[in-house]
Amino acid sequence: MKYFMLRQGDGYDRNPIVKNWYGKIDMHSLRRRGMDSEQRNMFYVSATDNTIYPDMIMDPVFMVSEAMRNVIAMYEKQAVYREVFFLDPVKGDGHIYYIPFLPVVDCIQKGAMRDRKNIRLDEIGKEKLQNYNIAEADIPDRQCVIVSLDFAESVLRKELTGIGLKEI
């Protein structure tokens, strides 16, 4: 089966800028406390007239729209989500996103450097992903979401925005 690394799509560099998220939403606290809490988060964002609210945001953490959440639910029924509300106080505009807690799979091959920002695609062992349609690679200090061909096709058929795929 083919697998892809999920990335922010080309041309989606005008996402809202999340303010004051440091210490409130980061990989360490999410992995430790995230699934234990039904907590909702609200963050102020700065946006311009050219800002795009895509169906997937990768920064500061992996977040998805309701439409993308529905696709994830088709393939990963056990996923848990934390709701995040983005409020633009200048425009009075709000958007809801979800942080999905996906299965974490140790799929980085032995000898690969797990602590650097850019994992090479050839360092991901596809054989450990065979039972997953969407999963997060076990890499400290960053998120790397891996999806199957079936999942990628579903996302593309729904014409969701902000999606980038890099074949592994």
Side-chain angles (χ1 to χ4, degrees):
M1 164 139 339
K2 289 187 179 184
Y3 289 91
F4 300 84
M5 185 182 302
L6 209 52
R7 318 171 109 170
Q8 195 71 61
D10 293 335
Y12 288 92
D13 54 355
R14 298 174 296 173
N15 295 346
I17 298 170
V18 182
K19 297 181 176 186
N20 300 322
W21 63 269
Y22 296 101
K24 297 176 187 169
I25 183 171
D26 60 72
M27 287 312 306
H28 293 297
S29 65
L30 286 176
R31 284 187 178 164
R32 255 194 327 267
R33 301 177 306 210
M35 291 189 289
D36 298 334
S37 170
E38 302 236 352
Q39 174 185 352
R40 292 179 176 167
N41 293 93
M42 185 188 87
F43 294 100
Y44 290 110
V45 295
S46 78
T48 67
D49 290 337
N50 296 325
T51 297
I52 298 170
Y53 288 89
D55 289 301
M56 182 190 80
I57 295 177
M58 294 300 290
D59 187 48
V61 295
F62 180 55
M63 291 182 261
V64 298
S65 69
E66 180 77 26
M68 180 76 161
R69 178 184 169 176
N70 292 339
V71 174
I72 292 172
M74 289 188 318
Y75 291 93
E76 183 53 51
K77 297 188 184 338
Q78 303 301 319
V80 177
Y81 303 87
R82 179 182 281 184
E83 187 175 293
V84 176
F85 183 71
F86 288 163
L87 178 62
D88 180 351
V90 174
K91 295 182 176 180
D93 193 17
H95 296 269
I96 295 175
Y97 280 87
Y98 300 91
I99 300 171
F101 294 93
L102 303 170
V104 177
V105 179
D106 184 13
C107 60
I108 305 302
Q109 295 178 356
K110 291 186 182 201
M113 297 194 44
R114 293 173 180 264
D115 61 344
R116 64 172 196 253
K117 292 261 182 208
N118 296 312
I119 297 294
R120 291 192 334 251
L121 296 177
D122 63 346
E123 294 176 339
I124 297 172
K126 293 190 269 188
E127 66 281 351
K128 294 184 179 179
L129 294 166
Q130 288 180 353
N131 296 323
Y132 300 95
N133 283 297
I134 181 168
E136 186 178 334
D138 188 14
I139 304 170
D141 299 327
R142 86 172 271 232
Q143 281 186 295
C144 178
V145 179
I146 310 292
V147 300
S148 68
L149 177 61
D150 292 341
F151 184 94
E153 287 175 341
S154 292
V155 167
L156 295 174
R157 270 194 304 273
K158 299 241 184 238
E159 298 181 3
L160 301 180
T161 60
I163 311 299
L165 299 166
K166 182 77 174 172
E167 187 173 352
I168 298 173

